[in-house]
Amino acid sequence: MRLLKLGAIFMLIQVSLRAQDTIMPLWPQDKIPNRIESGEKEVREVNGILRISKVQQPSIEVYLPAVSNATGEAMLIFPGGGYGILAYDWEGTDIAKFLNGKGIAGIVVKYRLPSDTSQEEKHLVPLIDAQRAMRLVRSMATDFHIEPDKIGIIGFSAGGHLASTLGTHFNETVYEPMDAIDAESARPDFMALGYAVITFGETSTHKGSQYNLLGENPPADLVTYFSNEKQVTENTPPSFLFHAMDDEAVPVGNSLDFLKALKDKGVPATLHVYPKGGHGFSLARKDSHLRGWTERMFEWMEALE
C-alpha cells in the first residue's frame, strides 16, 4: 500500500511538471549571489500588463507542451522593461504559451533587476541570473523532455539586451559556482532578439536601460562590455532578429549593428525588419503582417543544423 501511495505521489509530480506553470527558484534561499539584505520587496502591478519590479527571488516559470507534441526544443524567455520592470505576461508567459502550441517548451526567467539597495555590483546581476537559468534548465533536460543541445533563448527590448549579453558572455565567470548545476554550459544553442537593446554609449542607445543597468556616467570599459555588438565571437549562437523600422524607443540600428557583427564573425543570422510596429509589440496578434515574425522564427528554427 505504501508503494502504491508513493507511486501515486510520483505520478502527481510528473503530471504537475507536464502541466503548465511550474515555478522553480534559481538559487538556494541563502545563497543568492550579489544579494544584500534589505527591506526591498517585490512589486507586482497590473494595468493591462503584469509589471514586476524589485525582484528579490529570481526564478523560472516552466510551460511544457504535451509530451506527444514536444519537439525537444526549449526557449528561455527574458521579458523586457528597460531593466526597471519586467513586462511579465506580455513578453513572458504569453510567449511561453504560444511556444507550447509549436511543441516548444517555454521557460520564463524572472531575473533580478539592477538595484543599489539590494545588490552589489548590480550591473552583473541580470547576467548572473541568466547564466544560472540556462544551467538549471540544461541540468533538468530529461525532466522537461527536452534535448540539452536544443535550448535557445528569446528576449524583448531590455530582455533582448540580457539575452544578447548571455549569448556573448556565456563563458565568463560572473559568480562562484556553488553546486553541480553550475557545471553545465550556459551557452544558448540559438537566440531570438525582438526589438532588442544591443548597444550602449551611442546615439541609438536606449538611455533608460543603460542608466538602470550601469548608473549615471558609467566607466567606458563597462559601456564597451555591455555593447554586445562589440562582444560577438565565432562562438556566439546563431541568431534571429526582428525589429520595426519606426521604433523610436530602441532604434533599428541596434539590430543592424548586431547583424553586421554576427556576419563579420561568420555566425549564422537572420534579421526581419518591418516597416511599422513601433516598440514593444510582443506577439503582434492584431497586426496581420507584423505577427508574421513568429512563423518566420519557427521556420528559421526548423532550418537550424
Side-chain angles (χ1 to χ4, degrees), residues 43-61:
V43 176
R44 288 174 170 248
E45 299 175 316
V46 179
N47 183 14
I49 295 173
L50 171 59
R51 293 172 169 85
I52 300 178
S53 59
K54 302 184 187 302
V55 175
Q56 303 299 307
Q57 304 291 335
S59 62
I60 55 172
E61 186 165 353

Side-chain angles (χ1 to χ4, degrees), residues 257-268:
D257 289 348
F258 199 65
L259 179 72
K260 182 180 186 304
L262 292 165
K263 179 181 180 296
D264 289 347
K265 293 297 183 179
V267 178

Side-chain angles (χ1 to χ4, degrees), residues 269-285:
T270 296
L271 168 62
H272 289 270
V273 178
Y274 295 87
K276 294 183 179 179
H279 187 72
F281 50 77
S282 182
L283 292 168
R285 300 318 297 167

Side-chain angles (χ1 to χ4, degrees), residues 187-217:
R187 181 184 183 274
D189 293 300
F190 55 93
M191 62 181 176
L193 306 173
Y195 40 90
V197 178
I198 297 292
T199 192
F200 284 166
E202 303 292 340
T203 56
S204 57
T205 297
H206 183 249
K207 298 297 185 183
S209 295
Q210 178 176 312
Y211 174 79
N212 286 331
L213 186 65
L214 303 183
E216 194 170 0
N217 300 317

Side-chain angles (χ1 to χ4, degrees), residues 220-250:
D221 60 332
L222 279 185
V223 172
T224 299
Y225 183 87
F226 287 104
S227 292
N228 292 321
E229 80 283 5
K230 299 178 181 178
Q231 305 302 327
V232 172
T233 71
E234 293 82 357
N235 293 321
T236 300
S239 301
F240 176 94
L241 299 92
F242 57 99
H243 219 122
M245 186 70 78
D246 64 348
D247 189 335
E248 296 183 359
V250 179

